Amino acid sequence: MSLTEKSSSPLSLFPFYHSKKKPLKPSSKPFDETLIRRLESLLPIPTSPAPAPTSAIPLSWLSRSADLLALTLNDACAIISDPSLSGSDLNALSSHLDSSVALLDACNAATAEIDRILRSRLHLRLALHHLASVPPRLRRARELISEWDRSPRGGFKASVHLSEAPRGKISVVRRAIYAVEAVSSLVVGSIAAVIGGGETKDLDRIYVSEDSYPWAPAFNKVLEAVKERAKSGVAGEVAAMAVAVRRLTTVIDGEEEEGLVERVAEAVKETEKAMEKMVEGMDRLTAAINGVFTATMSTRNAALRSYRIGPQKCK
């Protein structure tokens, strides 16, 4: 704007017309309200269809919870990248740089465990191939099923520790980062319990005070629901496949030879269908966890840039 243009502006000639209102105080209300809606969308946890136990948590729900975490990270990234907010609490940014390392490690551990589960099914695929031959090679198929049954389970051991809740005057950045830590501990604890053998001790250590955080009641409801349902220690789709395999082995081990080929074919069909659903669920969960990893890296980078050189846009 030129000097002439400045002089022609009425406001520049009469500075007392400028508003003297104080700038609005930064608020975490939009962030909190969005998180509340997302947490409420996770309940009720759907039951797993037969033949899996209805109490088993489906892989689809774990994927949704991981998607929620990625969205929460993205929202926190936007807050961290806001120049009017992030510079006010560098200690919070430093804390997030430390705590997010555990989340990245948990993502790697979870995808490694999923990959192990998917590779272990190769014994089953080969067994089904032998059973599809004419005549079916029952003995070799039974040996392969036994090898699959002996494969280790519950190898996923990872957790994200929820730090002590901030006290006193809490900045918007600190509130967002604490929410990320809480949701991270919930999601990682849920995945570890469901595909890691039913250990809920990490979930038992989590609790968010409902006095300071509007989203805490919704969060604690999800937490309690997960702790109750995760005790089975198996995802619904994985349980359904295990049931199908047990029915298949019952047919193979049976002494009645009349109609054996037909019964084997039917059991093979059921097992293939259950395996396909399990693989689809695991692939979807892997994609969701990869989304969490990407969102975590973006939030870390935003925190690092803000900590060092000032707020930058999320990438």
Side-chain angles (χ1 to χ4, degrees):
M1 183 181 287
S2 66
L3 182 61
T4 305
E5 289 173 325
K6 287 182 180 179
S7 300
S8 63
S9 172
L11 295 181
S12 65
L13 294 175
F14 302 98
F16 53 85
Y17 283 158
H18 285 293
S19 172
K20 294 183 179 181
K21 292 183 178 179
K22 293 181 179 180
L24 294 175
K25 182 181 179 181
S27 172
S28 62
K29 185 176 180 180
F31 177 91
D32 294 339
E33 291 178 342
T34 299
L35 182 54
I36 290 171
R37 289 195 299 270
R38 288 172 179 163
L39 288 168
E40 289 176 343
S41 72
L42 292 180
L43 294 179
I45 300 175
T47 57
S48 292
T54 57
S55 61
I57 295 179
L59 292 170
S60 57
W61 187 89
L62 292 179
S63 299
R64 287 173 53 205
S65 70
D67 288 339
L68 183 151
L69 174 55
L71 290 171
T72 304
L73 282 159
N74 290 334
D75 289 347
C77 187
I79 291 175
I80 291 171
S81 301
D82 188 332
S84 66
L85 299 175
S86 60
S88 63
D89 198 341
L90 295 180
N91 288 333
L93 298 179
S94 178
S95 173
H96 178 66
L97 290 173
D98 292 335
S99 63
S100 57
V101 172
L103 180 54
L104 293 174
D105 288 343
C107 288
N108 287 330
T111 53
E113 175 64 7
I114 291 172
D115 182 65
R116 186 199 63 76
I117 293 172
L118 292 176
R119 281 188 286 106
S120 71
R121 86 186 193 282
L122 295 178
H123 291 101
L124 285 179
R125 291 184 63 87
L126 187 54
L128 297 179
H129 174 73
H130 284 296
L131 292 173
S133 64
V134 182
R137 294 186 284 271
L138 301 181
R139 177 176 296 180
R140 181 54 184 150
R142 189 65 180 86
E143 291 174 352
L144 288 166
I145 292 174
S146 296
E147 288 182 34
W148 168 80
D149 198 41
R150 289 193 299 268
S151 62
R153 287 169 170 77
F156 174 43
K157 305 296 181 184
S159 63
V160 175
H161 176 66
L162 179 60
S163 60
E164 185 178 354
R167 297 179 181 179
K169 188 177 180 180
I170 310 172
S171 69
V172 174
V173 172
R174 176 75 70 172
R175 284 179 171 275
I177 288 175
Y178 183 70
V180 164
E181 289 182 358
V183 177
S184 298
S185 63
L186 171 63
V187 172
V188 172
S190 300
I191 295 174
V194 173
I195 70 173
E199 288 284 345
T200 61
K201 59 183 181 181
D202 291 330
L203 294 172
D204 294 334
R205 290 195 289 260
I206 304 171
Y207 181 77
V208 177
S209 172
E210 300 182 1
D211 296 332
S212 303
Y213 300 92
W215 47 266
F219 176 89
N220 290 329
K221 286 181 181 178
V222 176
L223 175 62
E224 291 304 315
V226 173
K227 287 195 292 187
E228 182 62 30
R229 295 279 298 274
K231 293 176 182 177
S232 63
V234 63
E237 294 85 342
V238 177
M241 188 182 75
V243 171
V245 172
R246 285 198 299 271
R247 291 176 178 174
L248 176 61
T249 55
T250 299
V251 173
I252 295 174
D253 295 340
E255 297 181 358
E256 185 179 351
E257 295 187 3
E258 185 176 353
L260 177 62
V261 173
E262 291 77 10
R263 293 197 306 276
V264 167
E266 183 64 28
V268 166
K269 183 179 179 180
E270 179 185 352
T271 303
E272 288 176 336
K273 183 178 180 181
M275 187 186 302
E276 181 179 354
K277 288 184 177 180
M278 187 275 289
V279 172
E280 289 176 356
M282 288 293 186
D283 287 344
R284 172 68 182 86
L285 180 56
T286 298
I289 293 172
N290 287 339
V292 171
F293 188 95
T294 300
T296 304
M297 287 299 300
S298 295
T299 308
R300 272 183 59 83
N301 290 338
L304 187 60
R305 288 191 297 267
S306 297
Y307 189 79
R308 288 181 173 176
I309 60 176
Q312 301 287 323
K313 289 184 178 180
C314 296
K315 294 182 179 180

